């Protein structure tokens, strides 16, 4: 950890980041459930032993738990906080027990209640980006074409080696149009070592070149190292300005920005799965806490930007079709809709047990990676 950052920022950064995001996620489940008349027996921030709490007039226990690594809403009829259904109890429930029970709600209501958690995290991301665009506007260049025109090459440039020349204007990378240097950077940074088809305009003619970005280990001011791709083209010197936007355009830009982040996340996971990236690039609670402290030290804007990214990650992870996660529940509901009846109790139990085991294994794995990254373990 960077010695120039007060240690207390690491201590408060983690709960200050994850606490509100997890609470809002669970609040999404709770509010939609309440809207549909489903009773929430418990609303917890964290897991494990309760350290503080109260029971409201509706009978919901609101509590803060000892292990601040998540949270849950336990609805009436749930066997446990993972919302695992008790098939026998559901089938034998009395009319009174069915009233306000999550598992006796209609299929579409259960689906919306489950989806509401990730949806809330997506809304948080969109709200943060919309606020940024409303406050600062959007970056514009007086001459966008100049931004993607090659004016120089860096030393050992992959682009120059592939045959690109000064004056070429890059218009597409692997079929994706690039309208600014930021677009060009985003089209290349995630693909170190992969052959990219770069289309340029030279003397009015369209030409295509196969370029293999160099694999670069980029290090930020805090010593965090990331693997990125570069083709050795420095940005042209243009004076970028920020142009004010209205609410409608700000919302639209926030969707565009969020879409780009989702694309990068999916690409990164694919590359780890196929071996193009190291699993060491994964991060767990320790990494999140470290980043939270670092970004907090840079100010509110950097911290909220990280919050938008983590909130989107929470939505993405929770929507994976793994039993015990929201996406797993939605997968079961999709199967129920197709079959016109729920899956059998045995298959449901086996799937949930496997899902919980997988989630726990992944948590242990990323935590192990986190610990191995700590300075006193070396590299």
């Amino acid at each position: 950890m960077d010695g120039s950052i007060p240690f207390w920022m690491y201590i408060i950064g983690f709960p200050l980041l994850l606490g509100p995001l997890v609470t809002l996620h669970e609040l999404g489940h709770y509010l939609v459930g309440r809207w549909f008349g489903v009773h929430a027996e418990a609303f917890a921030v964290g897991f494990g032993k309760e350290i503080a709490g109260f029971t409201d007039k509706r009978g919901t226990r609101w509590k803060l738990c000892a292990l601040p690594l998540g949270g849950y809403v336990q609805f009436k009829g749930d066997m446990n906080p993972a919302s695992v259904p008790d098939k026998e109890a559901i089938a034998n429930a009395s009319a009174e027990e069915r009233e306000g029970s999550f598992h006796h709600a209609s299929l579409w209501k259960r689906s919306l209640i489950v989806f509401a958690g990730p949806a809330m995290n997506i809304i948080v991301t969109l709200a943060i980006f919309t606020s940024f665009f409303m406050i600062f506007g959007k970056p514009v260049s007086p001459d966008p074409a100049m931004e993607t025109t090659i004016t120089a090459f860096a030393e050992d440039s992959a682009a120059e080696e592939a045959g690109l020349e000064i004056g070429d204007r890059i218009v597409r990378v692997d079929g994706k149009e690039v309208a600014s240097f930021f677009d060009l950077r985003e089209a290349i940074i995630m693909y170190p070592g992969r052959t990219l088809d770069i289309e340029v305009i030279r003397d009015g003619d369209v030409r295509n070149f196969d370029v293999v970005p160099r694999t670069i280990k980029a290090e930020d001011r805090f010593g965090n190292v990331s693997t990125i791709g570069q083709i050795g083209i420095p940005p042209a010197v243009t004076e970028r300005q920020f142009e004010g936007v209205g609410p409608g355009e700000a919302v639209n830009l926030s969707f565009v920005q969020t879409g780009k982040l989702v694309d990068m996340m999916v690409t990164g996971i694919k590359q780890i799965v196929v071996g193009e990236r190291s699993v060491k690039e994964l991060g767990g609670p320790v990494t999140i806490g470290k980043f939270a402290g670092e970004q907090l030290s840079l100010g509110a804007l950097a911290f909220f930007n990280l919050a938008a990214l983590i909130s989107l990650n929470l939505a993405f992870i929770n929507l994976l079709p793994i039993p015990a996660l929201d996406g797993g529940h939605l997968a079961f509901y999709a199967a129920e809709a197709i079959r016109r009846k729920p899956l059998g109790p045995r298959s449901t139990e086996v799937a949930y047990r496997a899902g919980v085991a997988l989630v726990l294994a992944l948590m242990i794995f990323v935590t192990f990676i986190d610990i191995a990254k700590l300075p006193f373990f070396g590299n």
Side-chain angles (χ1 to χ4, degrees):
M1 294 186 180
D2 192 283
S4 63
I5 301 176
F7 187 71
W8 63 265
M9 286 193 172
Y10 291 111
I11 300 299
I12 71 167
F14 184 80
L16 195 61
L17 177 70
L18 276 191
L21 295 180
V22 169
T23 301
L24 288 168
H25 175 99
E26 300 304 331
L27 194 62
H29 293 309
Y30 171 80
L31 290 175
V32 176
R34 179 175 162 182
W35 184 23
F36 290 141
V38 175
H39 173 62
E41 295 180 337
F43 186 110
V45 177
F47 294 104
K49 185 178 180 180
E50 178 182 332
I51 58 177
F54 69 94
T55 302
D56 66 18
K57 62 182 180 181
R58 294 183 178 83
T60 302
R61 183 66 181 175
W62 298 77
K63 53 188 179 180
L64 180 65
C65 299
L67 192 61
L69 295 177
Y72 62 89
V73 177
Q74 187 165 349
F75 290 109
K76 182 179 179 180
D78 290 340
M79 283 177 59
N80 53 40
S83 197
V84 177
D86 185 338
K87 296 292 185 180
E88 184 177 348
I90 292 172
N92 299 325
S94 64
E96 183 180 352
E97 289 171 332
R98 290 170 181 266
E99 182 68 26
S101 169
F102 174 80
H103 297 287
H104 288 96
S106 61
L107 180 60
W108 70 272
K109 288 182 179 180
R110 282 180 280 146
S111 299
L112 287 178
I113 291 170
V114 169
F115 180 70
M120 181 67 84
N121 285 128
I122 294 171
I123 290 170
V124 169
T125 299
L126 292 171
I128 291 174
F129 287 148
T130 298
S131 300
F132 283 175
F133 285 119
M134 286 288 291
I135 295 170
F136 301 105
K138 64 177 180 180
V140 294
S141 172
D143 187 3
M146 188 62 187
E147 285 199 5
T148 58
T149 299
I150 302 174
T151 58
F153 290 110
E155 185 178 351
D156 192 29
S157 168
E160 185 177 25
E161 183 179 296
L164 277 76
E165 299 178 356
I166 301 294
D168 289 348
R169 181 163 67 87
I170 299 174
V171 292
R172 287 182 181 81
V173 176
D174 269 1
K176 294 182 180 179
E177 186 175 350
V178 292
S180 68
F181 189 82
F182 288 117
D183 291 343
L184 177 60
R185 183 176 181 274
E186 288 176 354
I188 293 169
I189 194 171
M190 291 294 293
Y191 302 102
R194 181 183 296 187
T195 302
L196 301 178
D197 175 33
I198 294 185
E199 182 178 310
V200 306
I201 294 178
R202 178 185 297 174
D203 299 328
D205 297 326
V206 176
R207 302 194 182 189
N208 292 77
F209 298 87
D210 289 334
V211 183
V212 181
R214 305 280 191 238
T215 301
I216 306 296
K217 298 292 184 181
E219 184 174 336
D220 65 15
R221 70 177 71 183
F222 302 108
N224 301 308
V225 179
S226 57
T227 303
I228 63 173
Q230 288 185 358
I231 60 173
I233 297 176
V237 180
T238 58
E239 185 179 349
R240 297 185 68 85
Q241 301 171 339
F242 284 87
E243 182 180 277
V245 298
E249 188 175 359
V251 171
N252 181 62
L253 289 169
S254 72
F255 272 95
V256 173
Q257 182 64 24
T258 300
K260 289 179 179 179
L261 286 178
V262 171
D263 182 62
M264 291 180 67
M265 288 160 51
V266 172
T267 299
I269 291 174
K270 284 182 179 177
Q271 290 175 341
I272 290 174
V273 170
V274 301
E276 292 181 0
R277 285 184 178 271
S278 170
V279 294
K280 294 178 182 179
E281 295 192 33
L282 293 172
V286 177
T287 297
I288 293 174
K290 181 176 184 292
F291 285 169
E294 291 166 354
Q295 298 307 302
L296 185 61
S297 73
L298 297 177
L301 292 179
F303 187 76
F304 276 107
N305 190 60
L306 177 64
L309 176 61
I310 297 299
S311 187
L312 189 60
N313 271 271
L314 286 175
F316 181 82
I317 291 170
N318 272 282
L319 286 174
L320 293 176
I322 299 173
L325 296 180
D326 294 333
H329 290 292
L330 292 173
F332 279 119
Y333 299 154
E336 182 177 339
I338 294 171
R339 299 174 75 246
R340 304 277 183 187
K341 62 179 180 179
L343 296 175
R346 178 58 181 166
S347 57
T348 301
E349 180 183 358
V350 171
Y352 274 110
R353 288 181 182 276
V356 170
L358 178 60
V359 171
L360 289 175
L362 287 173
M363 289 182 64
I364 294 171
F365 180 63
V366 296
T367 301
F368 175 80
I369 292 175
D370 278 348
I371 294 172
K373 289 178 184 177
L374 296 176
F376 44 82
F377 283 103
N379 291 320

